[in-house]
Amino acid sequence: MKPLSPEDLDRLQRDAFGYFARHTHPQTGLVADCTRPGAPSSIAACGLGLSAYPIAVERGYVSRAVAAERAARMLAFFANGKQGEGEEAIGNRGFFYHFLDMASGRRVWGCEVSTIDSSYVFAGALAAARYFDGSGPVERSVRDGADAIYRRADWEWARNGGATVTHGWTPERGFIPYRWEGYSEALVLYALALGSPTHPVPPESYEAWTKTYWWRNVYGIDYLHAGPLFIHQLSHVWVDFRGIQDAFMREKECDYFENSRRATHVQQQYAIRNPLKFREYGEHCWGVTASEGPGPAVFEIDGVKRRFFSYLARGAPDGPDDGTIGPWGAVASLPFAPEIVLPTIRHLMKLGVGSTSPYGVEATFNPTFPDSGRRSGWLSPYNFGLNDGPIVLMIENYRTGLLWKLMRECEPIVRGLKAAGFRNGWLS
């Protein structure tokens, strides 16, 4: 197979950043959840956008002045927006509603105040604050806004009297009954919660979380298991876990970066084995993760009844799986396993993935779903900030480690990791 060229990687990263350039509100600075007309803002996409602005400056996509102004505008919105239980509030106790109206910032869809999605806003804000270190008023406002929103978050409140952090809260029902238990994308959440200078959780909260982990063997690979690929990626957007270990990983003689490498290989092996016999799965076609899908629908294909889903946290090797691949899932594994990711990106391009999207690749595709005869099969008509952001950021971490370098100098992150018991590596 012809290798992926540096120019191809350049183009993919630049095109993915185009999502944030085109789908950001000019007054509020909020980033749209997806390209569907009328879509609200996703605060997770906002956090990824804040993190992408330093990369855009370094790569020459936008000027430093433009990027700083956009970051400052968004952070001013989050810092000045009303907090509380009223209808005008954009959040409560320092956390934000998951989805906000792009223009007004009002809560939409009766959604929850989300602790994990707010964590992505805080991480993005801290990354932007580290990068925009100039003495001018705009860059100072970036730092002031980041500091204000992070200090305000009441992590102790978010525990709701329990050991672990809850998923969130709504004014109608109070706290959501689910907590961050079981290995998940919450690594960065706990680092931020432990590192808070105002309302931190105690180290016992992190210990309670790690007690819910599941270490298992799949295809001869020992690793800390989570089925959807994004779980092994999103915290790594900001934190360089190479060589640093908490108590759990010291016992396993592993670290979270190596664990994500193993999880990436499990995904590839699942696709090679292809137990459900989906079309095109194989060595260079894998990436089962949380993603949009072509369903809900049921078809009989080649004598097999197939059920297709819409948005779902798909996982390997236990499912659920309906043949839907998230190209961003493979791309965001680039720092962990470039030897299998680079050929996969090249192969996906050969399949025609990216042929209908101006943002590098489509959010998802499904070759098994009955479609127009394309080898790639069904292609998602929409792109999502939560998909395009990790493409921009993890390509950069693979190439230069820019976000990792910024966050290694971020005092709250360092403080939180040390409180969680991380040692060795760059923390030394």
Side-chain angles (χ1 to χ4, degrees), residues 176 286 424:
I176 293 172
W286 50 268
N424 306 320

Side-chain angles (χ1 to χ4, degrees), residues 10 142 213 354 360 413:
D10 282 337
V142 171
Y213 282 0
I413 289 290

Side-chain angles (χ1 to χ4, degrees), residues 149-427:
I149 66 170
Y150 179 54
R151 284 178 173 273
R152 188 173 57 190
D154 190 343
W155 297 98
E156 188 60 30
W157 169 80
R159 289 205 298 161
N160 189 32
T164 51
V165 176
T166 64
H167 280 204
W169 171 94
T170 68
E172 295 83 11
R173 296 187 176 89
F175 282 97
I176 293 172
Y178 305 108
R179 292 179 175 272
W180 289 108
E181 296 174 348
Y183 182 56
S184 68
E185 67 275 26
L187 259 176
V188 72
L189 176 151
Y190 277 102
L192 289 162
L194 288 158
S196 169
T198 50
H199 308 287
V201 300
E204 292 76 23
S205 181
Y206 184 79
E207 293 167 12
W209 180 48
T210 61
K211 286 178 181 177
T212 65
Y213 282 0
W214 181 19
W215 185 266
R216 67 183 291 196
N217 182 284
V218 179
Y219 309 136
I221 299 172
D222 292 312
Y223 75 121
L224 176 54
H225 172 74
L229 191 51
F230 80 94
I231 285 175
H232 299 282
Q233 299 166 335
L234 286 183
S235 292
H236 297 257
V237 164
W238 295 281
V239 183
D240 181 2
F241 286 102
R242 292 175 296 179
I244 64 172
Q245 299 168 305
D246 60 7
F248 181 90
M249 283 298 178
R250 282 193 293 274
E251 180 183 339
K252 299 299 182 182
E253 298 182 339
C254 189
D255 62 44
Y256 288 99
F257 182 92
E258 167 62 19
N259 193 75
S260 290
R261 187 192 69 81
R262 296 179 189 183
T264 303
H265 279 272
V266 166
Q267 285 265 341
Q268 186 195 46
Q269 289 301 314
Y270 170 75
I272 290 170
R273 287 164 171 78
N274 194 11
L276 300 178
K277 308 302 178 188
F278 291 118
R279 293 175 183 169
E280 298 296 340
Y281 275 33
E283 180 183 6
H284 301 311
C285 188
W286 50 268
V288 181
T289 191
S291 60
E292 184 77 348
V298 177
F299 293 100
E300 184 171 307
I301 301 170
D302 299 330
V304 178
K305 186 178 181 180
R306 300 284 193 186
R307 182 178 300 277
F308 299 94
F309 308 106
S310 54
Y311 191 91
L312 188 69
R314 297 162 173 83
D318 306 318
D321 187 14
D322 62 354
T324 299
I325 296 289
W328 73 277
V331 179
S333 288
L334 186 55
F336 311 125
E339 72 282 359
I340 66 172
V341 172
L342 290 170
T344 296
I345 297 172
R346 179 65 182 166
H347 179 73
L348 296 182
M349 291 177 174
K350 285 183 63 179
L351 285 182
V353 176
S355 62
T356 68
S357 172
Y359 306 115
V361 291
E362 290 81 9
T364 49
F365 70 104
N366 190 315
T368 305
F369 188 81
D371 203 74
S372 61
R374 293 182 297 238
R375 188 178 172 189
S376 60
W378 175 84
L379 292 165
S380 173
Y382 307 113
N383 276 73
F384 293 76
L386 192 53
N387 299 167
D388 288 313
I391 291 176
V392 178
L393 301 167
M394 291 301 260
I395 288 177
E396 194 62 34
N397 280 333
Y398 165 71
R399 300 175 87 174
T400 69
L402 175 61
L403 260 292
W404 291 341
K405 292 173 184 174
L406 289 172
M407 300 307 270
R408 284 201 296 263
E409 299 172 352
C410 178
E411 183 180 343
I413 289 290
V414 172
R415 185 168 57 239
L417 290 171
K418 288 183 175 179
F422 281 89
R423 304 176 195 158
N424 306 320
W426 59 267
L427 276 173

